[in-house]
C-alpha cells in the first residue's frame, strides 16, 4: 500500500470528494431548469421504451444520529397521508404527459423509510404507479426497508404489489456502535426480517453496512460482516460512514473522539472486503459486493455496470424519473430536481404543476466527462476507442483530458494507447481521480483551466 502522506496529498481522506452518482453533481445544478424543461423532456421519451422510476418517501419514525439523508421524523400519520395523496397527484400529472407504451425497467422506493407507509398505502401507491407505466417483463421493483419499521401486513402488501428486491439497512451489529450512532437493531430482528422477506418469495436481498463508524475496530467489523454473511445477501453496499456534523446536525450526538482515524478506516474497509471476497462475492465498483449470480455482478463482468442516484445499477435505461420531494430525474438532455421542502412540493403539485425547481442541461463536454467519470467509478478504466465512438470529440481532445489527469496522479494511474486505467493499488483513490475530470469542481488538485 502506498504510504499515507502521498494518499493524503492526493485527497484520499477528504470527506468532501463527491461519490459521483451524477455528473455534474447535484450541488452544481442551477435554477435555470424548470417545469417546462421537465415536461418537454418527458414528452420526448420514445413511445414503447423502458424507463426507471424512483419514488422518494422523506419520512422516518426514528431519526438515527449517524444518518446524513434528508428526512423528517414523524410519529403522526397525517403528514404521510397527505404526502401519499401528493405523490398520487404527481403520478397523475406524469400520466398526462408520458408517451404511450412506456414501461418500467426499474422501480425503486427509497427515503427516508418507505416502509413507514401502511399496507393499504403501499398497495394504493403501487397500483397507481402501474396504471401510469407497468413494470416491464424482467423489470425490478426494489424497496428500502428499515427492519425496525416493517411488519407482516406491510411485507405482504409489498410482495403482492410485485416487489422482487428488498434492501435492508444494517449499518453494524455491534451493540456499542449501535448505541453510539443512535440506531439500535439486534441481529435477531434483522435475521427475522430477512427470513420473512424470503418466505414471501422475494428473490433478492440487498443490505447496507458501514465502515468507519465510531468505536469500529477490525474484530468488530469482522464480526458484523460474518453475521451479515449468515443472512446470505445477494448484494451488499459497504459504504464509508460520512461524518459531516456541520451538515447533518444529528451527527453532533456522536463524539468525534470515538471516530477511527483515516488510516484505520482504510483497514476497516479492507477487513470487510476480504471477508466478502473469501465468501465468494464479486467486488463491484468502489463499495459494493454481489454474488456472482446477481445481475449487478454480471453487469460488472460484461462492462455494462452504470451509476445513478441510487449508486451502482445494472439498469441501462437512459431515463430515470424521480418522484417526490427533492427527487432528481435524469434525461438524455440533462437533470431536473424537484423542490426539497415538502410544503413547496405539495403546493406545486396540488396546483397541477410539476415541482421542478432546479437542474442542469447538458452542454459542451458534460456528457463526455460524465461518461469518463462513470466508467472510472464502475470499471476503473476508460477506453479511448469507446469515447471516440460515442462522443463528438477528437483523439487530441481525449488525449489532453487523460494526460492532464495523469499528470496529477503520476504513477498512480496507467495510460496506454488503448485506455486510462486505475490499477488495483490506486483503487482507494478512484473518487479523487474521477474528480480530476470534473470541470465544475473548483477544489480539485488538477489545474483544469489548462485542459
Ligand atoms: C435512506 S437510508 C436507509 C433506509 C432505511 N431508512 C433504513 O434505515 O434502513 C439508505 C442508506 O444510506 C446510508 N447512509 C445514511 N447515512 C449515511 C452516512 N452518514 N454515511 C454513509 N452512509 C449513510 C445507510 O447505509 C442507509 O442504510
Ligand atoms: S438510517 Fe433510515 S431510518 Fe435512520 S434516519 Fe436514516 S433514513 Fe431514517
Amino acid at each position: 500500500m502506498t504510504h499515507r502522506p502521498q494518499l493524503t496529498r492526493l485527497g484520499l481522506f477528504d470527506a468532501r470528494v463527491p461519490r459521483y452518482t451524477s455528473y455534474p453533481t447535484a450541488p452544481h445544478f442551477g435554477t435555470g431548469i424548470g417545469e417546462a424543461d421537465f415536461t418537454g423532456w418527458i414528452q420526448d421519451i420514445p413511445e414503447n421504451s423502458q424507463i426507471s422510476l424512483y419514488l422518494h418517501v422523506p419520512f422516518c419514525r426514528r431519526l438515527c444520529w449517524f444518518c446524513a439523508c434528508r428526512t423528517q421524523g414523524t410519529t403522526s400519520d397525517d403528514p404521510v397521508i397527505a404526502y401519499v395523496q401528493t405523490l398520487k397527484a404527481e403520478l397523475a400529472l406524469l400520466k398526462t404527459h408520458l408517451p404511450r407504451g412506456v414501461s418500467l425497467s426499474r422501480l425503486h422506493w427509497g427515503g427516508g423509510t418507505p416502509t413507514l407507509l401502511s399496507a393499504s398505502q403501499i398497495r394504493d401507491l403501487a397500483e397507481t404507479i402501474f396504471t401510469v407505466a407497468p413494470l416491464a417483463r424482467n423489470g425490478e421493483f426494489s424497496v428500502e426497508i428499515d427492519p425496525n419499521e416493517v411488519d407482516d401486513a406491510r411485507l405482504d402488501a409489498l410482495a403482492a404489489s410485485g416487489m422482487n428486491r428488498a434492501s435492508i439497512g444494517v449499518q453494524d451489529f455491534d451493540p456499542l456502535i449501535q448505541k453510539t450512532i443512535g440506531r439500535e437493531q439486534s441481529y435477531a430482528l434483522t435475521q427475522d426480517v430477512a427470513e420473512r422477506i424470503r418466505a414471501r418469495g422475494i428473490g433478492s436481498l440487498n443490505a447496507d453496512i458501514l465502515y468507519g463508524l465510531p468505536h469500529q475496530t477490525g474484530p468488530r467489523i469482522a464480526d458484523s460482516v460474518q453475521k451479515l454473511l449468515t443472512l446470505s445477501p445477494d448484494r451488499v453496499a459497504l459504504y464509508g460512514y460520512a461524518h459531516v456534523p456541520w451538515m447533518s446536525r444529528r451527527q453532533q450526538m456522536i463524539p468525534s473522539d470515538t471516530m477511527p482515524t483515516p488510516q484505520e478506516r482504510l483497514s476497516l474497509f479492507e477487513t470487510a472486503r476480504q471477508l466478502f471476497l473469501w465468501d465468494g462475492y464479486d467486488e463491484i465498483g468502489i463499495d459494493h459486493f454481489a454474488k456472482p449470480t446477481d445481475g449487478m455482478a454480471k453487469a460488472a463482468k460484461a462492462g455494462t455496470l452504470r451509476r445513478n442516484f441510487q449508486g451502482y445499477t445494472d439498469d441501462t435505461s437512459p431515463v430515470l424519473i424521480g418522484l417526490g420531494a427533492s427527487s432528481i430525474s435524469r434525461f438524455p438532455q440533462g437533470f431536473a430536481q424537484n423542490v426539497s421542502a415538502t410544503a413547496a412540493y405539495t403546493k406545486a403539485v396540488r396546483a397541477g404543476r410539476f415541482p421542478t425547481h432546479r437542474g442542469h442541461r447538458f452542454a459542451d463536454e458534460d456528457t463526455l466527462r460524465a461518461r469518463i467519470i462513470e466508467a472510472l467509478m464502475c470499471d476503473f478504466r476508460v477506453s479511448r476507442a469507446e469515447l471516440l465512438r460515442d462522443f463528438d470529440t477528437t483523439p487530441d481532445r481525449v488525449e489532453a483530458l487523460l494526460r492532464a489527469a495523469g499528470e496529477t496522479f503520476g504513477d498512480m494511474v496507467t495510460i496506454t494507447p488503448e485506455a486510462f486505467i486505475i490499477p488495483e493499488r490506486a483503487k482507494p483513490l478512484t473518487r479523487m481521480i474521477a474528480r480530476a475530470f470534473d470541470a465544475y469542481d473548483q477544489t480539485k488538485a488538477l489545474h483544469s483551466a489548462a485542459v
Side-chain angles (χ1 to χ4, degrees):
M1 173 54 73
T2 315
H3 58 96
R4 186 175 163 181
Q6 189 181 4
L7 294 176
T8 307
R9 182 179 62 76
L10 293 169
L12 180 60
F13 304 124
D14 184 347
R16 291 161 304 180
V17 184
R19 294 176 60 240
Y20 288 110
T21 53
S22 72
Y23 177 78
T25 55
H28 295 286
F29 293 175
T31 49
I33 299 296
E35 193 202 354
D37 302 287
F38 182 80
T39 309
W41 293 347
I42 294 278
Q43 290 166 343
D44 283 347
I45 295 171
E47 285 186 3
N48 303 314
S49 62
Q50 294 190 0
I51 63 166
S52 300
L53 194 73
Y54 171 75
L55 187 133
H56 190 63
V57 180
F59 298 102
C60 294
R61 294 287 183 220
R62 58 169 168 177
L63 286 178
C64 316
W65 300 339
F66 78 95
C67 182
C69 303
R70 269 182 66 114
T71 181
Q72 207 176 307
T74 178
T75 48
S76 154
D77 288 337
D78 295 347
V80 183
I81 293 168
Y83 187 77
V84 170
Q85 289 311 318
T86 313
L87 277 175
K88 287 173 67 180
E90 195 182 7
L91 280 158
L93 264 176
L94 179 63
K95 192 175 180 177
T96 62
H97 295 283
L98 200 63
R100 278 186 317 144
V102 171
S103 59
L104 304 180
S105 60
R106 294 287 185 281
L107 169 61
H108 184 77
W109 293 7
T113 304
T115 49
L116 64 47
L117 301 177
S118 68
S120 64
Q121 285 171 328
I122 288 170
R123 287 175 200 268
D124 189 19
L125 254 185
E127 265 170 37
T128 311
I129 291 170
F130 296 136
T131 61
V132 176
L135 199 62
R137 213 162 53 85
N138 301 326
E140 269 184 25
F141 175 12
S142 50
V143 179
E144 290 172 16
I145 294 176
D146 176 358
N148 249 40
E149 191 51 50
V150 74
D151 56 17
D152 281 334
R154 286 178 276 181
L155 285 175
D156 286 342
L158 287 168
S161 302
M163 176 180 78
N164 49 20
R165 185 179 284 281
S167 179
I168 54 170
V170 172
Q171 325 313 344
D172 194 290
F173 287 117
D174 183 83
L176 172 65
I177 295 176
Q178 289 193 356
K179 213 171 169 20
T180 311
I181 65 172
R183 178 174 173 115
E184 297 190 43
Q185 175 180 320
S186 70
Y187 170 72
L189 171 84
T190 311
Q191 184 190 35
D192 180 48
V193 168
E195 276 170 12
R196 286 191 283 149
I197 288 169
R198 289 219 163 97
R200 284 164 175 80
I202 288 138
S204 190
L205 186 72
N206 298 6
D208 294 342
I209 184 165
L210 299 179
Y211 71 91
L213 287 170
H215 294 301
Q216 214 171 31
T217 58
R220 284 196 175 119
I221 197 167
D223 186 57
S224 284
V225 170
Q226 276 156 348
K227 285 196 169 89
L228 179 62
L229 287 171
T230 65
L231 309 182
S232 193
D234 299 275
R235 273 181 207 172
V236 176
L238 172 63
Y239 295 128
Y241 167 54
H243 190 60
V244 285
W246 58 93
M247 276 166 58
S248 181
R249 294 175 64 85
R250 275 175 277 151
Q251 291 186 351
Q252 290 171 5
M253 302 291 286
I254 300 174
S256 311
D257 61 358
T258 58
M259 297 295 295
T261 64
Q263 204 67 44
E264 285 164 349
R265 272 175 77 97
L266 266 186
S267 88
L268 288 166
F269 176 80
E270 193 52 31
T271 301
R273 171 179 177 264
Q274 286 301 338
L275 288 169
F276 289 120
L277 297 180
W278 282 333
D279 214 63
Y281 283 75
D282 284 356
E283 188 171 12
I284 315 286
I286 61 164
D287 54 13
H288 277 56
F289 297 85
K291 288 185 180 173
T293 47
D294 184 86
M296 191 176 273
K298 290 182 186 163
K301 280 206 186 77
T304 54
L305 188 69
R306 295 285 176 264
R307 195 138 171 93
N308 69 13
F309 295 105
Q310 284 107 59
Y312 289 106
T313 177
D314 53 0
D315 179 34
T316 51
S317 297
V319 173
L320 165 71
I321 296 178
L323 299 180
S326 79
S327 281
I328 301 175
S329 301
R330 187 198 62 211
F331 298 89
Q333 298 93 330
F335 296 109
Q337 181 169 22
N338 281 354
V339 63
S340 294
T342 313
Y345 162 74
T346 307
K347 193 172 165 205
V349 175
R350 297 281 173 99
R353 287 185 280 113
F354 282 121
T356 314
H357 173 61
R358 55 205 289 277
H360 181 85
R361 182 187 295 275
F362 293 134
D364 307 323
E365 289 184 329
D366 285 345
T367 53
L368 170 67
R369 288 176 185 265
R371 179 59 199 143
I372 293 175
I373 288 172
E374 182 180 52
L376 291 175
M377 297 292 291
C378 292
D379 310 322
F380 305 103
R381 183 179 197 283
V382 184
S383 147
R384 290 171 193 264
E386 184 203 294
L387 297 179
L388 293 169
R389 180 194 67 205
D390 296 341
F391 297 91
D392 181 18
T393 185
T394 63
D396 284 353
R397 184 62 192 140
V398 168
E399 182 64 18
L401 283 166
L402 302 185
R403 285 272 161 229
E407 275 162 25
T408 303
F409 289 95
D411 63 358
M412 299 300 272
V413 298
T414 307
I415 303 181
T416 70
E418 286 78 36
F420 179 102
I421 300 159
I422 302 178
E424 191 64 37
R425 68 176 186 286
K427 281 187 176 176
L429 288 168
T430 300
R431 289 184 305 148
M432 297 82 213
I433 296 170
R435 185 170 64 167
F437 294 94
D438 183 343
Y440 297 90
D441 189 310
Q442 301 304 311
T443 60
K444 66 180 183 289
L446 178 74
H447 307 296
S448 61
V451 184

